[in-house]
């Protein structure tokens, strides 16, 4: 499992991003459950799946259900990883991705976990969406972010 924490600035607003890469492995289920325990302070989630791994794509609805159950106000994003694989290796079609995105009401981004600039751009795009949501929704004083 990989973990990284990063402080970033988008449009003059600072935020702290944490990346917990469990690769969807069952043995990290406890770690994922602990992340969910702190979910009220988490503003956004990025679920990454590999274009050449059908199982990672099929697991998305389960992750979305778990997140929504614990943090209905958190924004969820889906990111495609391994966008550079050959067409013969792709296990998920663009139509399937679009259909899932529409059925879940979740935006899909391109990603590449090996390229830091792509990861940064992904996090910045997601954070802009979080800021947009916060500016349009009334502030709930019972939810304090201690990050």
């Amino acid at each position: 499992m990989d973990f990284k924490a990063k402080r970033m600035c988008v449009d003059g607003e600072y935020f702290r991003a944490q990346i917990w890469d469990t690769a969807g492995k069952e043995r990290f289920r406890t770690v994922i459950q602990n992340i969910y325990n702190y979910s009220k302070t988490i503003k956004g989630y990025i679920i990454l799946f590999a274009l050449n791994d059908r199982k990672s794509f099929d697991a998305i609805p389960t992750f979305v259900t778990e997140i929504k159950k614990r943090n209905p106000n958190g924004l969820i994003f889906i990111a495609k990883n391994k966008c550079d694989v050959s067409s013969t290796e792709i296990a998920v079609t663009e139509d399937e991705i679009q259909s899932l995105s529409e059925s879940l009401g979740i935006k899909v981004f391109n990603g590449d976990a090996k390229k830091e600039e792509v990861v940064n751009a992904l996090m910045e795009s997601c954070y802009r969406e979080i800021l947009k949501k916060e500016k349009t929704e009334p502030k709930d004083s019972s939810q304090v972010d201690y990050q």
Side-chain angles (χ1 to χ4, degrees):
M1 179 182 74
D2 288 333
F3 170 78
K4 285 187 179 183
K6 185 174 199 156
R7 189 164 189 246
M8 299 181 72
C9 182
V10 174
D11 302 334
E13 298 273 343
Y14 286 90
F15 71 100
R16 187 178 73 192
Q18 294 182 358
I19 301 170
W20 295 81
D21 182 359
T22 63
K25 302 284 189 215
E26 188 62 36
R27 67 178 180 252
F28 297 123
R29 199 64 155 164
T30 307
V31 173
I32 294 169
Q33 294 301 323
N34 285 332
I35 293 168
Y36 291 147
N37 290 338
Y38 296 99
S39 63
K40 287 191 175 30
T41 62
I42 299 172
K43 296 178 181 182
Y45 304 81
I46 301 172
I47 301 171
L48 192 71
F49 76 96
L51 283 173
N52 63 344
D53 182 355
R54 179 76 201 192
K55 215 168 140 184
S56 69
F57 177 77
D58 291 340
I60 292 171
T62 302
F63 285 114
V64 169
T65 300
E66 289 293 317
I67 291 166
K68 286 184 174 182
K69 185 168 47 173
R70 290 174 172 84
N71 186 0
N73 295 320
L75 286 179
I76 303 171
F77 307 95
I78 299 170
K80 299 183 276 186
N81 192 27
K82 303 205 177 177
C83 296
D84 59 345
V85 298
S86 72
S87 59
T88 58
E89 295 178 87
I90 292 177
V92 183
T93 68
E94 286 298 322
D95 287 342
E96 290 174 300
I97 296 165
Q98 183 66 30
S99 177
L100 181 67
S101 168
E102 289 172 3
S103 71
L104 296 173
I106 296 174
K107 284 191 172 190
V108 177
F109 294 91
N110 287 331
D112 187 339
K114 292 183 180 179
K115 295 182 180 171
E116 186 175 357
E117 67 275 6
V118 175
V119 173
N120 289 344
L122 171 63
M123 289 191 295
E124 288 172 10
S125 295
C126 294
Y127 191 66
R128 280 190 180 94
E129 293 294 321
I130 291 167
L131 288 174
K132 193 184 318 178
K133 177 185 176 200
E134 287 181 344
K135 289 177 182 174
T136 60
E137 289 184 351
K139 189 78 170 163
D140 180 357
S141 62
S142 67
Q143 288 193 345
V144 179
D145 184 8
Y146 293 101
Q147 293 189 28

